[in-house]
Amino acid sequence: MRKLNLICPPAGKQRQRSESKMMEEVEQRGGAQEEEEDAHPADANSNCNHADNDVTSCPAEAPPVFSFEGTPQKNEPVVIQGNNNNPATEKLERVRKWSITRYKCTRQALSEKLGRGSRTVDLDLEPRLELLKDDRQRYGHMTKLAQTLANQLTQFSVTQKTLGDAFADLSVKTPTLHVEFGLNADAQRFLSKSNETLTTAMNVFTSDMNTLVNKTIEDTMINAKQYEAGRIQYDAYRVDLEELNLGPRDPETLPKLEQAQRDFQNQREQYQRVREDLSVKVKLLQENKVKVLHQQLFLLHSAVAAHSLSCQNFLQNNVQQVSERLTNPAVDAPSWLEES
């Protein structure tokens, strides 16, 4: 057999070769890192130092923080400042004040109905309001009656016209009574036209009265209701102020008394303003009512008088013609007894 003699290099030389390869790899890696640092000079790891055989770790830098205007940063407490002009707060405050006012007004109204509360009485305005309520009721009743009469006149006129047409038809078909049927036909037709004219005048009268009663006076009565509501509210705050004045005065009740005094003063100004507006409106309504009624009543009376006078003159002439016709014997045909 052939012997193979393997010649192994000494162990020291192998170590030197392995160390030289490691040094070359480290140098190559270091060069690559330096090229990357030159290409990106703004990197965060530029402050790191690399030795030939030692790798020194760089401290971890904090991540960049981006802040936007109007947007809170993450994990940062947000402080919301209170705003007195918040719509929800203002609405709740209005509801609270409204509830308190409604409670006081309801209590005052109940006490007045039960006869235990005092109320403010205007000796000048309230009698005029009572008279206005009575006038509205009476004018409304008169307007309904006038409208009923106008409707009845319309039906009466239609019936008269139909009756006149029937008389005219009989006048044609009855030669012996041609004149008599013709006179009645003319009378009914004339009365029908005259009633139509009177009906038109009645409708104009009722229309203007409806405007006066249901619009003009009603608008004033709405203001009177607002005045009454303001009066009750004024009396409610007045009673509260009187009760606080009768009670003890100490540091706790003085602020309430001052607030009640301010509220009462505001309610008093509102009550006086509403009262003055209503007083002026009632005076203007009284003047307007007199003018409207004076004109409409005169026109209605003139229409009724003209209708009655025209009907009377026509009927008188018609009756006179019938009398002449009946008293003239030559017109009548001889009886069959006379002929025999």
Side-chain angles (χ1 to χ4, degrees):
M1 294 179 64
R2 184 180 293 179
K3 294 182 181 180
L4 296 175
N5 295 323
L6 298 175
I7 299 173
C8 294
K13 292 183 178 180
Q14 290 181 356
R15 290 180 180 177
Q16 290 179 359
R17 291 179 181 177
S18 61
E19 289 178 357
S20 63
K21 289 181 179 180
M22 291 177 63
M23 290 294 295
E24 290 177 358
E25 290 177 358
V26 170
E27 288 177 356
Q28 290 178 359
R29 290 178 182 178
Q33 289 180 357
E34 288 178 357
E35 290 178 357
E36 289 179 359
E37 290 176 356
D38 294 335
H40 302 283
D43 287 347
N45 296 326
S46 59
N47 294 328
C48 298
N49 297 322
H50 300 278
D52 292 339
N53 295 327
D54 297 331
V55 178
T56 306
S57 62
C58 299
E61 294 184 358
V65 178
F66 300 94
S67 61
F68 299 93
E69 294 182 1
T71 303
Q73 296 182 4
K74 187 176 180 180
N75 297 329
E76 183 177 351
V78 179
V79 179
I80 301 176
Q81 297 181 356
N83 188 4
N84 294 328
N85 297 325
N86 190 359
T89 305
E90 294 179 356
K91 187 174 181 179
L92 290 175
E93 184 65 20
R94 287 196 300 267
V95 171
R96 186 184 69 84
K97 292 182 179 180
W98 178 84
S99 302
I100 295 174
T101 304
R102 288 298 93 196
Y103 166 74
K104 292 181 179 181
C105 293
T106 304
R107 183 185 62 181
Q108 177 65 22
L110 289 176
S111 62
E112 290 179 4
K113 289 183 179 180
L114 296 175
R116 294 182 297 181
S118 61
R119 65 184 301 269
T120 303
V121 179
D122 192 333
L123 299 178
D124 181 33
L125 183 59
E126 293 191 7
R128 288 189 291 169
L129 292 177
E130 294 296 329
L131 181 61
L132 184 61
K133 292 179 182 179
D134 185 67
D135 289 343
R136 182 184 63 171
Q137 183 178 1
R138 294 178 183 274
Y139 293 162
H141 180 64
M142 178 188 65
T143 304
K144 290 180 180 180
L145 291 177
Q147 187 64 54
T148 302
L149 179 59
N151 295 334
Q152 293 175 352
L153 284 174
T154 301
Q155 297 176 359
F156 187 53
S157 177
V158 172
T159 304
Q160 284 181 326
K161 186 177 181 181
T162 305
L163 182 60
D165 294 338
F167 283 144
D169 185 60
L170 291 173
S171 175
V172 174
K173 293 182 179 181
T174 310
T176 56
L177 297 174
H178 173 71
V179 177
E180 288 77 4
F181 279 124
L183 291 174
N184 283 278
D186 293 339
Q188 295 300 323
R189 287 173 178 175
F190 178 83
L191 293 175
S192 176
K193 291 181 179 179
S194 181
N195 284 331
E196 289 178 358
T197 304
L198 180 60
T199 302
T200 302
M202 293 291 295
N203 288 329
V204 172
F205 174 77
T206 55
S207 177
D208 291 339
M209 288 302 300
N210 281 324
T211 301
L212 176 64
V213 174
N214 299 324
K215 291 185 178 180
T216 307
I217 297 180
E218 184 64 25
D219 182 64
T220 305
M221 297 309 299
I222 292 175
N223 289 354
K225 293 179 181 179
Q226 295 176 355
Y227 162 77
E228 183 65 17
R231 197 270 309 164
I232 293 176
Q233 187 170 339
Y234 164 73
D235 284 337
Y237 281 90
R238 176 182 58 80
V239 170
D240 285 348
L241 181 61
E242 291 175 356
E243 292 177 355
L244 289 175
N245 285 327
L246 294 176
R249 299 194 177 187
D250 50 21
E252 295 181 358
T253 59
L254 284 178
K256 296 181 179 180
L257 183 62
E258 294 177 356
Q259 183 64 34
Q261 183 68 33
R262 289 193 295 268
D263 294 339
F264 168 74
Q265 188 65 29
N266 293 332
Q267 295 298 326
R268 183 179 182 181
E269 294 176 357
Q270 294 179 8
Y271 167 72
Q272 291 178 350
R273 183 167 57 252
V274 173
R275 176 187 173 278
E276 292 175 358
D277 294 342
L278 181 59
S279 179
V280 172
K281 201 161 190 176
V282 169
K283 292 180 180 179
L284 294 176
L285 175 61
Q286 184 66 25
E287 296 177 358
N288 186 29
K289 180 184 68 174
V290 172
K291 292 180 181 179
V292 170
L293 289 175
H294 175 75
Q295 182 181 3
Q296 294 302 321
L297 290 173
F298 180 77
L299 292 176
L300 179 62
H301 182 270
S302 300
V304 172
H307 167 74
S308 301
L309 184 60
S310 62
C311 292
Q312 181 182 4
N313 293 333
F314 179 82
L315 292 176
Q316 285 179 353
N317 294 331
N318 200 352
V319 169
Q320 184 178 359
Q321 292 178 6
V322 172
S323 299
E324 293 176 355
R325 178 69 178 80
L326 293 177
T327 56
N328 189 1
V331 178
D332 294 334
S335 176
W336 62 275
L337 293 175
E338 293 178 357
E339 290 179 354
S340 61

